[in-house]
Amino acid sequence: MTEPGYIFSEDFSVRDYECDIQGIVNNANYQHYLEHARHEFLISRGVSFARLHEEGTDLIVTRVEIDYKYPLRSGDKFVVSLHIRRQGNVRLVFVQDIFRKPDRKHIVHAEVTGIVTKKGKPVSPVHVAEKLGLEQEINRNRLK
Amino acid sequence: MTEPGYIFSEDFSVRDYECDIQGIVNNANYQHYLEHARHEFLISRGVSFARLHEEGTDLIVTRVEIDYKYPLRSGDKFVVSLHIRRQGNVRLVFVQDIFRKPDRKHIVHAEVTGIVTKKGKPVSPVHVAEKLGLEQEINRNRLK
Amino acid sequence: MTEPGYIFSEDFSVRDYECDIQGIVNNANYQHYLEHARHEFLISRGVSFARLHEEGTDLIVTRVEIDYKYPLRSGDKFVVSLHIRRQGNVRLVFVQDIFRKPDRKHIVHAEVTGIVTKKGKPVSPVHVAEKLGLEQEINRNRLK
Amino acid sequence: MTEPGYIFSEDFSVRDYECDIQGIVNNANYQHYLEHARHEFLISRGVSFARLHEEGTDLIVTRVEIDYKYPLRSGDKFVVSLHIRRQGNVRLVFVQDIFRKPDRKHIVHAEVTGIVTKKGKPVSPVHVAEKLGLEQEINRNRLK
C-alpha cells in the first residue's frame, strides 16, 4: 500500500544472499531495491524499462545520494516508497525511502537523479512523464 | 599505480555479468567496485575488514553520493582511486574516482561517508586511522 | 500455491538488474532464486538459516546440477517449487523447478545437494529434518 | 599462468561483497567467476561475448554441474582454469576448476555445457570453435 506523499510503494523481503559478513544487507543491494521499485513503478503506469530501451529511449541515472540510517538483516521485510520531481529542464529526481515492516523503522533515504536519452542524446523528460501520467506532478514539484 | 592526490588505486576489468540490458554496467555495481577498492586499501595497510569485524569493530557506510559521468561497457578496463578525509569528530569520507583505462575518461566520482563502530556503538576513527597510518592525513584534510 | 508433488513454492518477479546484455536473466541469478526459495521454505517451517548459523549449525551446498531449459526475461513472473529427499546417510537433495507464470513454461530444473555441519563437521541431517517436520519425508524418498 | 591440461587460466581475488553471513563466498558467485573466466578466455582468442551477441550469435549455457569442495573466504586469492570438449553435434562443454592460491587447494570442479545459437536457433559450434582456434581441440576430446 502506498503511504501518503508517495505515489508508489513496493514490498520486499531480504534475501540471505544479499547479506554480508556483518550479517546485514550489503550497501550496494539497497541500490538494487531502489532500482527495482522504480522499474515496478514504471510498469504500474504501463511503461517497461526494457521496452523503452528497445525503442531507443533510456532512463539514465546521473547521480545518487543515499543515506543509510539503519541496516536491514536476514528475515526483514520492508517497503520501498517513492515520489518524483522535476529539476531544471532535463532532470527527474526520484525521492525514495525504505521502511522496515511492520515497525516503519526508517532504513534508507535516497534521491536518485536521472535523465531521459533518445539514441544516446538527452531529451526533455516530458514525453516519458506524459506516458507515466506525471506531467502535472513533475511540474508542480519542479525545482529550478 | 596511484595517481597524484590519491593514496591508493586498484585496477579492475568489467565482468559481463555486471552489465545490464542497456549493455552498460548496472549502477549498483559501481558501489561494489568502490567498496572493493576501499577494502583492498585497508589490506594494503595491513587491516582486514573481515578481521576487524571478528574483533567487534565495523566500518559502517552512512552516506554515499555517486555522480555517474559516463558508463562502463563490456570489455572496459578501469582504475578506482581514493583518498580520505575526516569530517567532524566521528566521520571519515572516502573520496573515490573511477577512470577508464587507458584513456582516463572520468566515469564516476563518489564520496562515501563512514563511521567506525565498536560493538555497535560509534567510536572515534582515530584508532583505525592509526592502524592505517593515516592519522596525519585525516587531520590535515579535516572538515568541520 | 504449492503444486502437487512439491512441498513448498515461492513466487518471484524478474528484477531488471538480474538481466544481462542478452536481455535474459544471468545464469548465476537462478542460483539466487533457488537459494532464496530454500531459505523461505526453512522459515515456513520455523527454521532460520541465519539463526542456525549463529547456533553453529550450517547447511552447506556440496553440489548443484542446473538444467537451463528456457530463459526468463525482464517483466516475467515465476514460481520456484521444491521437494526434498535424503541421499545416503548425510546428504539432503533439494529438487527444485522454476516455472514461468502464468503459462507454466518450464524454465529450470535443479538438484541441489547439501549437508548439515555443526561447528564445521558434517553431522546427520536428521536433527534438522525433525525441526523441519520432514523426518518421514526424507526417509521415504531416501536414495542409497 | 595456465596449468598443464588447461588451455586458459584467470586470476581472481575474493571481494568481500561476495561473502555471505557464513563468512564464505556465496554459492552463486562461483558461477560468476566461472562465467568471467570463460569470457576472458574468449577475449584472449579475439572473440567478444558482447560483440557476438550484437552479431546475432549467442553462447547459451544449457546445463551446469558444480561440485563445491571447499569454500573461499574473504581475502583469498584463486585461479579459474578451463579446458573444453565437444559433446555430440551441437554441445560444447567447458570443464573448469577453481584452485586457491598459493596452496592449490581444490575449491570447485564444474562442467558447463553450452550451445551456440544464431538468431535464437542452435547451430553447429564449429564456426565459433574455428574463431577460437579450437577446431582440433574440440574434435579430439569429442564425446558422443
Side-chain angles (χ1 to χ4, degrees):
Chain A
M1 219 192 61
T2 301
E3 300 296 319
Y6 299 110
I7 58 174
F8 183 77
S9 291
E10 177 79 9
D11 288 326
F12 293 76
S13 301
V14 171
R15 300 178 181 175
D16 284 339
Y17 66 79
E18 297 165 339
C19 297
D20 66 13
I21 298 172
Q22 297 180 327
I24 58 180
V25 170
N26 180 274
N27 293 311
N29 286 320
Y30 295 95
Q31 252 188 287
H32 282 152
Y33 301 153
L34 296 169
E35 178 192 296
H36 184 57
R38 292 194 305 274
H39 290 200
E40 289 294 304
F41 164 67
L42 297 182
I43 287 170
S44 77
R45 301 286 174 120
V47 176
S48 154
F49 179 80
R51 190 157 324 138
L52 279 179
H53 173 65
E54 285 164 17
E55 295 167 11
T57 298
D58 285 304
L59 302 179
I60 307 283
V61 171
T62 57
R63 177 173 170 80
V64 299
E65 295 173 43
I66 304 176
D67 287 300
Y68 296 98
K69 295 174 176 297
Y70 198 82
L72 290 170
R73 297 182 173 277
S74 175
D76 283 347
K77 296 185 185 308
F78 59 100
V79 62
V80 183
S81 296
L82 66 84
H83 63 89
I84 194 169
R85 64 165 197 261
R86 191 169 174 186
Q87 190 167 42
N89 282 323
V90 298
R91 277 167 289 182
L92 293 175
V93 180
F94 286 87
V95 180
Q96 299 190 266
D97 287 286
I98 301 179
F99 299 101
R100 192 171 62 189
K101 289 171 63 181
D103 67 357
R104 297 284 297 166
K105 180 88 179 172
H106 196 181
I107 301 298
V108 154
H109 175 75
E111 303 209 4
V112 179
T113 306
I115 57 170
V116 179
T117 65
K118 195 128 196 171
K119 295 179 186 163
K121 308 275 184 214
V123 295
S124 160
V126 169
H127 180 64
V128 167
E130 278 174 2
K131 280 198 180 185
L132 295 171
L134 285 176
E135 211 189 0
Q136 293 195 331
E137 177 97 21
I138 64 168
N139 284 313
R140 193 186 322 122
N141 298 325
R142 190 166 179 174
L143 294 192
K144 300 290 174 171
Chain B
M1 219 193 64
T2 302
E3 301 295 319
Y6 298 111
I7 58 174
F8 183 77
S9 291
E10 178 79 8
D11 288 325
F12 292 76
S13 301
V14 170
R15 300 177 181 176
D16 284 339
Y17 67 79
E18 296 165 340
C19 296
D20 65 14
I21 297 172
Q22 298 180 326
I24 58 181
V25 169
N26 180 273
N27 293 311
N29 287 321
Y30 294 94
Q31 266 203 58
H32 282 151
Y33 301 153
L34 297 168
E35 177 192 296
H36 185 57
R38 293 194 304 274
H39 290 200
E40 288 294 304
F41 163 67
L42 297 181
I43 287 170
S44 77
R45 301 286 174 119
V47 175
S48 155
F49 178 81
R51 189 154 328 136
L52 280 178
H53 174 65
E54 285 165 18
E55 295 166 11
T57 298
D58 286 302
L59 302 179
I60 307 282
V61 170
T62 56
R63 177 174 169 80
V64 300
E65 296 173 42
I66 304 177
D67 287 300
Y68 297 97
K69 295 172 176 297
Y70 198 83
L72 289 170
R73 296 182 173 278
S74 174
D76 283 346
K77 296 186 183 307
F78 59 99
V79 61
V80 183
S81 295
L82 67 84
H83 64 88
I84 196 169
R85 63 165 197 259
R86 190 169 175 186
Q87 190 167 43
N89 282 323
V90 298
R91 278 168 290 182
L92 293 175
V93 179
F94 285 88
V95 181
Q96 299 191 266
D97 288 286
I98 301 180
F99 299 101
R100 192 172 62 190
K101 289 171 63 180
D103 68 356
R104 297 286 296 165
K105 180 88 178 172
H106 196 181
I107 301 297
V108 154
H109 175 76
E111 303 208 6
V112 179
T113 305
I115 58 170
V116 180
T117 64
K118 196 126 198 174
K119 295 178 184 165
K121 307 273 185 215
V123 295
S124 162
V126 169
H127 181 63
V128 167
E130 278 174 1
K131 279 198 181 185
L132 295 170
L134 284 177
E135 210 189 359
Q136 293 195 331
E137 179 97 21
I138 63 167
N139 284 314
R140 193 185 324 121
N141 297 325
R142 188 165 182 175
L143 295 192
K144 298 293 173 172
Chain C
M1 218 191 64
T2 301
E3 301 295 320
Y6 298 110
I7 58 174
F8 183 78
S9 291
E10 177 79 8
D11 288 325
F12 292 77
S13 300
V14 171
R15 300 177 181 177
D16 285 338
Y17 67 80
E18 297 165 339
C19 296
D20 66 13
I21 297 172
Q22 298 180 326
I24 57 181
V25 169
N26 181 272
N27 292 312
N29 287 320
Y30 295 95
Q31 254 192 286
H32 282 151
Y33 301 153
L34 297 168
E35 177 192 296
H36 184 57
R38 294 194 304 275
H39 290 200
E40 289 293 305
F41 163 67
L42 297 182
I43 287 170
S44 76
R45 301 285 175 120
V47 176
S48 154
F49 179 80
R51 191 158 323 138
L52 280 179
H53 174 65
E54 284 164 19
E55 296 167 10
T57 297
D58 286 302
L59 302 179
I60 307 282
V61 170
T62 58
R63 178 174 170 80
V64 300
E65 295 173 41
I66 304 176
D67 287 300
Y68 296 97
K69 295 174 176 296
Y70 197 83
L72 290 171
R73 296 182 173 278
S74 174
D76 283 347
K77 296 185 183 309
F78 59 100
V79 61
V80 183
S81 295
L82 65 85
H83 63 88
I84 194 170
R85 64 165 197 259
R86 190 170 175 185
Q87 191 167 44
N89 282 323
V90 298
R91 277 169 289 182
L92 293 175
V93 180
F94 286 88
V95 181
Q96 299 190 265
D97 288 286
I98 300 179
F99 299 101
R100 192 172 61 189
K101 289 172 62 179
D103 67 357
R104 297 285 297 167
K105 180 89 179 171
H106 197 180
I107 301 297
V108 154
H109 175 76
E111 303 208 7
V112 179
T113 306
I115 57 170
V116 179
T117 65
K118 195 127 197 175
K119 294 178 186 166
K121 308 274 184 214
V123 295
S124 161
V126 169
H127 181 63
V128 166
E130 278 174 2
K131 280 198 180 185
L132 294 171
L134 285 176
E135 211 188 359
Q136 293 194 331
E137 177 96 22
I138 65 168
N139 284 313
R140 192 184 325 122
N141 298 325
R142 187 167 182 172
L143 294 192
K144 298 291 173 174
Chain D
M1 219 192 63
T2 303
E3 301 295 318
Y6 299 110
I7 59 173
F8 183 77
S9 290
E10 178 80 8
D11 288 325
F12 292 76
S13 300
V14 171
R15 299 177 182 177
D16 285 337
Y17 67 79
E18 297 165 340
C19 296
D20 65 13
I21 296 172
Q22 296 179 328
I24 58 181
V25 170
N26 180 273
N27 292 312
N29 287 320
Y30 295 95
Q31 252 190 289
H32 281 152
Y33 301 153
L34 297 168
E35 177 192 295
H36 185 57
R38 293 195 304 276
H39 290 199
E40 289 293 304
F41 163 66
L42 297 182
I43 286 171
S44 77
R45 302 285 174 122
V47 175
S48 155
F49 179 81
R51 190 156 326 137
L52 281 178
H53 174 65
E54 286 164 18
E55 295 167 12
T57 298
D58 285 303
L59 303 179
I60 307 282
V61 170
T62 56
R63 178 175 168 81
V64 299
E65 295 173 41
I66 304 176
D67 287 300
Y68 296 97
K69 296 175 176 295
Y70 197 83
L72 290 171
R73 295 180 173 278
S74 175
D76 283 347
K77 296 185 183 308
F78 59 100
V79 61
V80 183
S81 296
L82 65 85
H83 63 87
I84 194 169
R85 65 166 196 260
R86 189 170 175 184
Q87 191 167 42
N89 283 323
V90 298
R91 277 167 291 183
L92 293 175
V93 180
F94 286 88
V95 181
Q96 300 191 263
D97 288 285
I98 300 179
F99 299 101
R100 193 172 60 189
K101 290 170 62 179
D103 68 357
R104 298 283 299 167
K105 180 89 179 172
H106 196 180
I107 301 298
V108 154
H109 175 75
E111 304 208 7
V112 179
T113 304
I115 57 170
V116 180
T117 65
K118 195 126 196 173
K119 294 178 185 165
K121 307 275 184 212
V123 296
S124 161
V126 169
H127 180 64
V128 166
E130 277 175 3
K131 280 199 180 185
L132 295 171
L134 285 176
E135 210 188 0
Q136 293 196 333
E137 178 96 22
I138 64 168
N139 284 313
R140 194 185 323 122
N141 297 326
R142 188 168 181 172
L143 295 191
K144 299 291 172 173

